[in-house]
Amino acid sequence: MTTTPTRSLPAALETGRAILGPSLRDAVRAHLGPEMARIADYHFGWADAAGRPTGSWGGKMVRPTLALLSARAAGAAVADGLPAAVAVELVHDFSLLHDDIMDGDETRRGRATAWTVFGVPSAVLAGDALLTAATSALLTAPAAGARSATVSLMTATRRMIDGQAADVGFERRDDVTPAECLRMAGDKTGALLGCACSLGAELVGAGRTLVAGLGAFGEHIGLAFQLVDDLLGIWGDPASTGKQVGADLRVRKKSLPVVAALDAPGTDELRSLYRRPEPLTERDVRRVTDLVERAGGRDWARDEAARRLAAAEECLAAAGIPDDVCGEFLEIAGFVVGRRL
């Protein structure tokens, strides 16, 4: 896996990272045994492989910052949303540990991935441990909505796993439809982002209307992010993405623009090239890129991403939350999606 050049973080994320750090460390110490905590410390960037403190840590903390904002959206203090923020970040990192193994990625955030350092079995178990820690951290929170929030987080986690399973299954199929692909992306990417945007509010006992509106905002942002990410996987500038041009096409990924193109009429040549067992040459990649665009895959994905962004903003406007909180939600959404349409 290549390292993507970093962009400066919005002020809301910088603040979120500063607030979250101590609580996340405390949760790891409280809910993980020594061996699993050692792997988690390495994964978070707090320590090197030998356990020596690094004085730094990785990750943008997007999801937990959204959880903190959702508590503020419900009129609560930032501190009241900390258990939700910690829990959603632990779930996210559980998924990253397992994703690195499934994808065979050897680097993350500029360092060797945990499975390459500690072995696959230990990294799998560390991911499992983070998931149980997330449940414990949220369920034991002294808040009115602790049980309800835990159920919501586990529901989002199940959807995320289902989405990942569907994505893996798509690799063996030639008949994937755009509707199926959107559903997969909604589960794999949108579910946890949607949960993050509503979890703090649910934890502090907010009403169902506010919780649902914030969740819908996050789910739309998650889908917009996935659509833009898929566009960049084909047409992105390597200087910005850290990936080769056409990277997703080389591995014949069933990304949203490709699936939309394959679903269009008159795409026999594209189908033939994409289903061919032999590796694609550079000339093939350029031809497939052209065929996907000609079939409307690029325009469809770009239009759908814009539609999802507009829908997200409508959900947030209807939620009736304070202007400053609304502004920070939108600032983070712009960072996540990148507005690179």
Side-chain angles (χ1 to χ4, degrees):
M1 184 183 77
T2 52
T3 302
T4 304
T6 57
R7 291 181 288 151
S8 58
L9 296 180
L13 288 181
E14 292 285 10
T15 301
R17 281 167 57 90
I19 294 170
L20 183 70
S23 295
L24 190 58
R25 287 173 184 262
D26 288 346
V28 168
R29 296 290 174 274
H31 300 296
L32 270 67
E35 181 59 22
M36 295 299 99
R38 185 167 74 95
I39 299 172
D41 283 355
Y42 174 83
H43 172 73
F44 282 112
W46 301 333
D48 63 16
R52 294 182 294 260
T54 61
S56 63
W57 61 320
K60 301 177 184 68
M61 301 293 119
V62 168
R63 290 157 190 81
T65 301
L66 290 168
L68 294 177
L69 279 176
S70 75
R72 286 176 55 202
V78 170
D80 295 331
L82 273 172
V86 166
V88 80
E89 180 60 20
L90 291 172
V91 168
H92 175 55
D93 281 277
F94 138 73
S95 73
L96 295 183
L97 280 164
H98 286 193
D99 283 352
D100 286 342
I101 295 167
M102 288 187 292
D103 296 341
D105 286 339
E106 297 183 353
T107 60
R108 176 174 290 281
R109 301 165 184 160
R111 310 170 81 213
T113 46
W115 71 268
T116 67
V117 175
F118 301 99
V120 169
S122 292
V124 169
L125 291 171
D128 295 342
L130 290 181
L131 182 57
T132 63
T135 307
S136 298
L138 191 53
L139 192 57
T140 58
R147 185 182 182 281
S148 173
T150 303
V151 171
S152 293
L153 180 60
M154 291 301 100
T155 300
T157 303
R158 176 188 57 76
R159 285 184 57 199
M160 179 179 67
I161 293 169
D162 287 346
Q164 180 69 47
D167 195 20
V168 171
F170 288 175
E171 295 176 9
R172 302 187 296 271
R173 289 179 49 193
D174 294 325
D175 59 346
V176 180
T177 67
E180 286 181 296
C181 208
L182 278 172
R183 186 163 55 250
M184 175 276 293
D187 288 341
K188 179 181 175 182
T189 307
L192 193 60
L193 265 173
C195 183
C197 288
S198 61
L199 198 64
E202 186 169 9
L203 178 65
V204 300
R208 291 185 179 180
T209 300
L210 176 60
V211 170
L214 292 173
F217 164 78
E219 293 225 16
H220 283 305
I221 291 300
L223 266 172
F225 165 77
Q226 190 59 63
L227 284 153
V228 172
D229 196 57
D230 285 354
L231 285 164
L232 294 173
I234 301 174
W235 292 282
D237 179 0
S240 299
T241 65
K243 298 179 180 179
Q244 243 183 322
V245 173
D248 287 352
L249 301 181
R250 286 178 173 79
V251 296
R252 294 183 174 84
K253 182 178 177 181
K254 298 289 195 329
S255 65
L256 284 156
V258 170
V259 170
L262 289 170
D263 194 58
T267 55
D268 291 344
E269 183 184 356
L270 175 60
R271 288 176 178 277
S272 177
L273 281 169
Y274 223 64
R275 293 176 180 175
R276 199 174 65 189
E278 299 84 12
L280 295 176
T281 65
E282 289 304 309
R283 182 177 179 181
D284 291 336
V285 170
R286 289 194 296 271
R287 181 59 178 162
V288 168
T289 301
D290 182 56
L291 290 170
V292 170
E293 184 158 14
R294 285 171 179 251
R298 185 177 193 175
D299 287 342
W300 176 85
R302 191 158 40 196
D303 291 346
E304 184 66 19
R307 192 176 76 80
R308 295 288 177 173
L309 276 173
E313 292 176 1
E314 288 175 7
C315 289
L316 201 60
I321 62 178
D323 288 345
D324 60 334
V325 178
C326 183
E328 290 184 43
F329 266 123
L330 291 175
E331 181 185 29
I332 294 174
F335 176 81
V336 169
V337 178
R339 303 282 184 179
R340 294 164 291 181
L341 303 180

